[in-house]
Amino acid sequence: MSFINETHDNSLTSWVASANQSGTDFPIQNLPFAIFRRANSSEEFRGGVAIGDQVLDLAIVAEAGIFSGEAHSAVTAANAAALNEFMGMGQSYWSALRLALSRALREGSDHQNTLEGALVPQSDVEYSMPCHIGDYTDFYTSIYHATAVGSLFRPDNPLLPNYKWVPIGYHGRSSSIDVSGQAFPRPKGQTKAPDADTPSFGPCKRLDYELELGIYLGKGNELGEHIAIENAENHVFGFCLFNDWSARDLQAWEYQPLGPFLAKNFASTVSPWIVTTEALAPYRTQWTRDENDPQPLEYLESAQNRESGSFDIQMDVAIETQKMRADNHAPSKVSESSFKHSYWTVAQMVTHHTVNGCNFLPGDMLGSGTQSGPDHEEAGSLLELSRGGKESITLTNGEERKFLEDGDTVIMRGWCEAEGFNRIGFGSVEGTILPAK
Amino acid sequence: MSFINETHDNSLTSWVASANQSGTDFPIQNLPFAIFRRANSSEEFRGGVAIGDQVLDLAIVAEAGIFSGEAHSAVTAANAAALNEFMGMGQSYWSALRLALSRALREGSDHQNTLEGALVPQSDVEYSMPCHIGDYTDFYTSIYHATAVGSLFRPDNPLLPNYKWVPIGYHGRSSSIDVSGQAFPRPKGQTKAPDADTPSFGPCKRLDYELELGIYLGKGNELGEHIAIENAENHVFGFCLFNDWSARDLQAWEYQPLGPFLAKNFASTVSPWIVTTEALAPYRTQWTRDENDPQPLEYLESAQNRESGSFDIQMDVAIETQKMRADNHAPSKVSESSFKHSYWTVAQMVTHHTVNGCNFLPGDMLGSGTQSGPDHEEAGSLLELSRGGKESITLTNGEERKFLEDGDTVIMRGWCEAEGFNRIGFGSVEGTILPAK
């Protein structure tokens, strides 16, 4: 469990000047991790930490030998082409490295001279997947999304009776998850119009994004053991932005009775930076449930979960069309929401997932499910914003969309704000639709 | 695509005498692959090939340097703790190694002296997973299973309208797949009795097996590219036995709208041996579809798929209870079926899975879905045999079962027979239910 400590102090400033600028996603209070190298180079990918507009190269930090104990072990493990080993070390190692990095990057640190040579401008780097995702599970934690989508797929029965009892989730595809910048052809598949006798085959006509958070598991559990809710967050390394692209017309035809399949597995995109659970401590909020709703079964209930199990992570989505790029027009924001609306907490997801003995491995990822808020304008997908494709939304340059068109780039951002603490951000996740092959 | 060649000749005999005994699963015409080491040793796991009651140690074969060209490269890659690299090399390498092994193990081979020291009795070894399974997808290809289970979950609507058009599948959990011998605690979870107002939490009461084949992908495809049906089998390395354990009461409550989740991901068990697609060439059969049924869309149709796209892989299931073990009573066979009843072929599964651009990696696995045959006695699960838990089945020692009890071991076997060819077998996959924790 992560609590407020000296690394969250909003009076801290860094000797990296850009980290002290107002509005940066990456002040010294954030310190997220990624895997990077200089763009278009043949360098090895290795771990890095964002600080202002720079990446701190953990290979150089590890080789400099300036940390000791758990922090030294942790940075050594993070000097690799994937963060899995570091993520699997557990909370005390993550905290030790965070504290060591916070102290080393602070104004007045003795390590400034050593580490100035370890900075690479973010504008000069490329990222790879931050870790190997063995298994990816997508949850469905926004009751607003579940109700809105349910009413389109099952008008007579939008929210199924299990929703308020079970943190509904399903297994997704790991192989097709890639890092921000992913560009992929419009998927093809079977669809069936309501009035057609037979299905037809062709490019998806209702291509959509889903605004989600990705939640990375750190330390896993043995098969047959479960993770109690009191201990669940100790297994959660951190969070990223996640676009779970969806082919709505494929989904409508294929999803019964075993769930979404080809409608989802053609591509999913994560942001390069993992913001640690510890960095998010100041932005925790109460988790409550309407007293008229069923309260969780005992295994999904804890005092800490009630008190601070939610995270107020704000997110928005923008679309940049081909025309906008040609016209040098800024991307058009289409909605904004927050993870605080989630009907289930991260701890509840972790505990539910393992209550049957299912095992996590370091680097496994959970999707939060589309994070739609209570208002229509806070919907996390075009399916919802366009009311099932019935109404177009108008972009800031006058173009209209019901679903995504070829050449559209979808840009999601995330950030946290709280009274008395610095704003921190997640960077962005971007992905682009290419024409069908 | 694998066709009949000299390695399938039923007149071939091996200098390994046990490979020539009638009834062996592993004559020289089979040559399946596994990862093994001597039991209870600290040896490295490495590739092995079954021949009679022995394992041919591929580490020794590789080091002996007796093969050349693609066969040498292939055996070198198979000398590893997982077969992924070898599997990713593709059809020509798999065939070259099979041919080289067939020739080296034949009666009269020049390599007999060299290879006699490379044999380890199967009774002395332990197995690990044959490869790292990145992603696992479970299909639903038995229309008899789909109809029988559908009638229990949805009496008014057993077979959904998409079934005859779409090879229905969903993503499963990789982390909890283990090799034969897996023992796991009875899963706990939420269930809701039809007459109850609220769900309750506790150990699963309707624990079941599912008789499936596992289908291993060899060479993968790039994200955004699809695998045409004419080329699909070139990507299929081989087949194993697969028990997709299922918690039916958890499943009934959780599975809508996103499919099975905790009902499946607590454990799944594969047989140690992968029987290659090439070894199965003599047991191919026609794939036909009732002329009153819709015929496949064009992307799922090919002449070769019609002509020989099915495999007559026979399978049976036995239960060994604690009492049987105490009484030294043989396991009780409960059903027998064949993969030839599958409504969709392996090539159709591969092509459908990638038609949207989804990518396979070497070692990915497809489950066939429960392979129930047309007759009630050929059902591949207890759910079906007990007609939804309404009727007990009687085991050969007089014990009765509706679902699995603690201490039960489930044993699945598979084999192929065809006129003019030797019988080959898959060995077995076994798993045991421990009491809930």
Side-chain angles (χ1 to χ4, degrees):
Chain A
M1 224 78 72
S2 308
F3 297 103
I4 305 287
N5 57 44
E6 68 169 81
T7 65
H8 303 102
D9 184 343
N10 70 349
S11 68
L12 294 181
T13 52
S14 173
W15 51 261
V16 181
S18 59
N20 307 324
Q21 284 171 4
S22 123
T24 179
D25 275 354
F26 307 119
I28 192 168
Q29 290 82 5
N30 193 349
L31 303 176
F33 292 86
I35 294 290
F36 82 105
R37 68 177 177 189
R38 280 181 180 77
N40 306 314
S41 75
S42 57
E43 293 178 356
E44 300 283 330
F45 279 104
R46 69 272 188 188
V49 167
I51 182 77
D53 59 9
Q54 304 289 309
V55 181
L56 182 69
D57 185 339
L58 294 183
I60 296 179
V61 178
E63 283 150 20
I66 57 174
F67 298 156
S68 59
E70 289 183 330
H72 175 70
S73 304
V75 77
T76 303
N79 177 18
L83 293 171
N84 297 71
E85 184 189 342
F86 167 51
M87 294 163 79
M89 296 174 96
Q91 183 67 58
S92 67
Y93 289 84
W94 310 335
S95 287
L97 181 54
R98 176 177 166 85
L99 181 60
L101 289 166
S102 173
R103 290 177 176 171
L105 289 165
R106 275 178 213 172
E107 201 115 45
S109 159
D110 291 343
H111 298 305
Q112 178 172 349
N113 279 346
T114 311
L115 295 187
E116 273 174 343
L119 297 177
V120 186
Q122 287 167 24
S123 54
D124 291 352
V125 310
E126 61 188 9
Y127 301 98
S128 79
M129 286 293 294
C131 61
H132 170 75
I133 298 175
D135 279 295
Y136 146 53
T137 297
D138 201 24
F139 279 91
Y140 196 52
T141 69
S142 163
I143 195 167
Y144 307 109
H145 173 70
T147 306
V149 172
S151 71
L152 296 170
F153 282 84
R154 295 174 305 278
D156 51 335
N157 197 15
L159 196 69
L160 295 169
N162 56 12
Y163 188 87
K164 293 184 176 181
W165 296 97
V166 179
I168 297 288
Y170 69 104
H171 298 116
R173 180 93 193 165
S174 299
S175 68
S176 50
I177 303 176
D178 206 348
V179 74
S180 186
Q182 188 175 31
F184 55 88
R186 176 178 296 272
K188 291 181 177 176
Q190 287 190 34
T191 56
K192 187 177 156 301
D195 55 350
D197 288 336
T198 60
S200 58
F201 178 81
C204 164
K205 292 179 182 141
R206 292 161 72 98
L207 189 54
D208 202 355
Y209 59 78
E210 292 197 324
L211 174 64
E212 302 200 17
L213 287 174
I215 298 144
Y216 286 102
L217 274 294
K219 198 164 183 168
N221 61 305
E222 293 296 316
L223 190 70
E225 303 289 339
H226 85 283
I227 298 175
I229 191 163
E230 291 78 9
N231 193 33
E233 284 189 7
N234 285 330
H235 292 262
V236 179
F237 177 73
F239 296 64
C240 70
L241 301 167
F242 182 52
N243 185 346
D244 185 28
W245 306 93
S246 297
R248 302 300 182 186
D249 42 357
L250 276 61
Q251 186 174 353
W253 172 233
E254 75 169 2
Y255 89 104
Q256 284 188 314
L258 300 182
F261 179 45
L262 298 193
K264 299 282 191 173
N265 65 13
F266 54 90
S268 316
T269 318
V270 294
S271 59
W273 294 106
I274 307 180
V275 175
T276 62
T277 310
E278 187 170 354
L280 293 167
Y283 318 101
R284 290 171 168 279
T285 66
Q286 274 199 321
W287 178 80
T288 54
R289 185 168 280 191
D290 189 302
E291 61 184 19
N292 297 314
D293 274 1
Q295 301 305 304
L297 293 181
E298 195 181 339
Y299 76 99
L300 295 174
E301 183 76 90
S302 83
Q304 190 272 324
N305 188 62
R306 288 269 175 187
E307 195 180 308
S308 60
S310 291
F311 294 85
D312 185 8
I313 300 170
Q314 301 178 68
M315 295 176 276
D316 67 16
V317 188
I319 296 176
E320 183 187 63
T321 67
Q322 277 188 306
K323 183 168 189 313
M324 288 175 189
R325 278 194 293 280
D327 297 347
N328 214 14
H329 188 283
S332 173
K333 187 164 98 170
V334 291
S335 71
E336 184 171 331
S337 184
S338 167
F339 186 48
K340 74 179 177 188
H341 300 305
S342 177
Y343 197 77
W344 298 100
T345 66
V346 170
Q348 288 170 327
M349 290 183 233
V350 168
T351 293
H352 181 68
H353 203 313
T354 62
V355 76
N356 67 345
C358 181
N359 59 328
F360 283 128
L361 297 173
D364 285 349
M365 194 178 85
L366 311 179
S368 65
T370 307
Q371 291 304 302
S372 300
D375 296 331
H376 177 71
E377 295 68 33
E378 294 168 320
S381 68
L382 285 175
L383 180 72
E384 294 159 86
L385 289 173
S386 72
R387 301 185 193 275
K390 293 200 190 80
E391 298 172 9
S392 291
I393 61 166
T394 303
L395 305 180
T396 47
N397 70 339
E399 288 184 278
E400 300 200 328
R401 286 291 181 275
K402 290 176 176 167
F403 292 99
L404 295 170
E405 297 190 6
D406 294 347
D408 285 355
T409 295
V410 176
I411 304 158
M412 297 175 176
R413 297 180 310 156
W415 64 96
C416 296
E417 292 167 324
E419 187 69 31
F421 292 94
N422 267 11
R423 175 191 181 283
I424 65 171
F426 282 70
S428 69
V429 59
E430 306 189 9
T432 299
I433 315 297
L434 306 176
K437 284 199 176 172
Chain B
M1 224 76 75
S2 309
F3 297 103
I4 305 288
N5 57 44
E6 69 169 79
T7 65
H8 302 101
D9 183 344
N10 71 350
S11 69
L12 294 181
T13 54
S14 173
W15 51 261
V16 181
S18 60
N20 307 323
Q21 284 172 4
S22 122
T24 180
D25 275 356
F26 307 119
I28 192 168
Q29 290 81 7
N30 193 348
L31 303 175
F33 291 86
I35 294 291
F36 83 104
R37 68 177 178 189
R38 281 181 180 78
N40 306 313
S41 75
S42 56
E43 293 177 357
E44 300 283 329
F45 280 103
R46 69 272 188 187
V49 167
I51 181 76
D53 60 9
Q54 305 289 309
V55 180
L56 181 70
D57 185 339
L58 294 183
I60 296 180
V61 179
E63 284 151 19
I66 57 174
F67 298 156
S68 60
E70 288 183 330
H72 176 72
S73 304
V75 78
T76 303
N79 177 19
L83 293 171
N84 297 72
E85 184 188 343
F86 167 50
M87 294 164 79
M89 296 174 96
Q91 183 67 58
S92 67
Y93 288 84
W94 311 335
S95 287
L97 181 54
R98 176 179 165 85
L99 181 60
L101 289 167
S102 173
R103 290 177 176 171
L105 289 165
R106 274 177 214 173
E107 202 117 43
S109 159
D110 292 343
H111 298 305
Q112 180 172 348
N113 280 346
T114 313
L115 295 188
E116 274 174 343
L119 297 177
V120 187
Q122 286 167 23
S123 55
D124 291 352
V125 311
E126 61 189 9
Y127 301 98
S128 79
M129 286 294 293
C131 61
H132 170 74
I133 299 175
D135 279 295
Y136 147 54
T137 297
D138 202 23
F139 279 90
Y140 197 51
T141 67
S142 164
I143 196 168
Y144 308 108
H145 174 71
T147 306
V149 171
S151 71
L152 297 169
F153 282 84
R154 296 174 305 278
D156 51 334
N157 198 14
L159 196 69
L160 295 169
N162 56 13
Y163 188 86
K164 293 183 177 180
W165 295 98
V166 180
I168 296 289
Y170 68 105
H171 298 115
R173 181 93 192 164
S174 300
S175 69
S176 51
I177 303 177
D178 206 349
V179 75
S180 185
Q182 189 176 31
F184 56 87
R186 175 178 296 273
K188 292 180 178 176
Q190 286 192 36
T191 57
K192 187 176 156 301
D195 55 349
D197 288 336
T198 60
S200 58
F201 178 80
C204 164
K205 292 180 181 137
R206 292 161 73 97
L207 188 54
D208 203 354
Y209 58 80
E210 291 197 323
L211 174 63
E212 301 200 17
L213 287 174
I215 297 144
Y216 286 103
L217 274 294
K219 199 163 182 168
N221 60 306
E222 293 296 316
L223 189 70
E225 302 290 339
H226 86 285
I227 298 175
I229 191 163
E230 292 78 8
N231 192 33
E233 284 190 6
N234 285 331
H235 292 261
V236 179
F237 177 73
F239 295 65
C240 71
L241 301 168
F242 181 52
N243 185 345
D244 185 29
W245 307 93
S246 297
R248 302 298 183 186
D249 43 355
L250 275 61
Q251 186 174 353
W253 173 233
E254 76 170 0
Y255 91 104
Q256 285 189 314
L258 300 182
F261 179 45
L262 298 192
K264 300 281 190 173
N265 65 14
F266 53 90
S268 317
T269 318
V270 293
S271 59
W273 294 107
I274 307 180
V275 175
T276 62
T277 309
E278 186 171 356
L280 293 166
Y283 318 102
R284 291 172 169 278
T285 66
Q286 274 199 321
W287 178 81
T288 55
R289 185 167 280 191
D290 189 302
E291 62 183 18
N292 298 314
D293 275 3
Q295 302 305 305
L297 293 181
E298 194 181 341
Y299 76 100
L300 296 173
E301 183 78 87
S302 84
Q304 190 273 325
N305 188 61
R306 287 268 175 187
E307 194 181 309
S308 60
S310 290
F311 294 85
D312 185 8
I313 299 170
Q314 301 178 69
M315 295 177 276
D316 67 15
V317 189
I319 296 176
E320 182 186 65
T321 68
Q322 276 188 307
K323 186 169 187 313
M324 288 175 190
R325 278 195 292 281
D327 298 347
N328 213 15
H329 188 283
S332 173
K333 187 164 97 171
V334 292
S335 71
E336 185 171 330
S337 183
S338 168
F339 185 48
K340 74 178 177 189
H341 301 305
S342 177
Y343 197 77
W344 298 100
T345 66
V346 170
Q348 288 169 329
M349 291 183 233
V350 168
T351 293
H352 181 68
H353 203 312
T354 62
V355 76
N356 66 345
C358 181
N359 59 330
F360 284 128
L361 297 173
D364 286 349
M365 193 178 86
L366 311 179
S368 64
T370 307
Q371 290 303 302
S372 301
D375 296 331
H376 179 70
E377 296 68 32
E378 295 168 319
S381 70
L382 285 174
L383 180 71
E384 292 160 88
L385 289 174
S386 72
R387 300 185 192 276
K390 291 201 189 79
E391 298 173 10
S392 290
I393 61 165
T394 304
L395 306 180
T396 49
N397 70 340
E399 287 185 278
E400 300 199 328
R401 286 291 182 276
K402 288 175 178 168
F403 292 98
L404 295 170
E405 297 190 4
D406 293 348
D408 285 354
T409 296
V410 176
I411 303 157
M412 298 175 176
R413 297 181 310 157
W415 65 95
C416 296
E417 291 167 326
E419 187 70 30
F421 291 95
N422 268 8
R423 175 192 182 281
I424 67 171
F426 282 70
S428 69
V429 59
E430 306 188 9
T432 300
I433 315 297
L434 305 175
K437 284 199 176 169

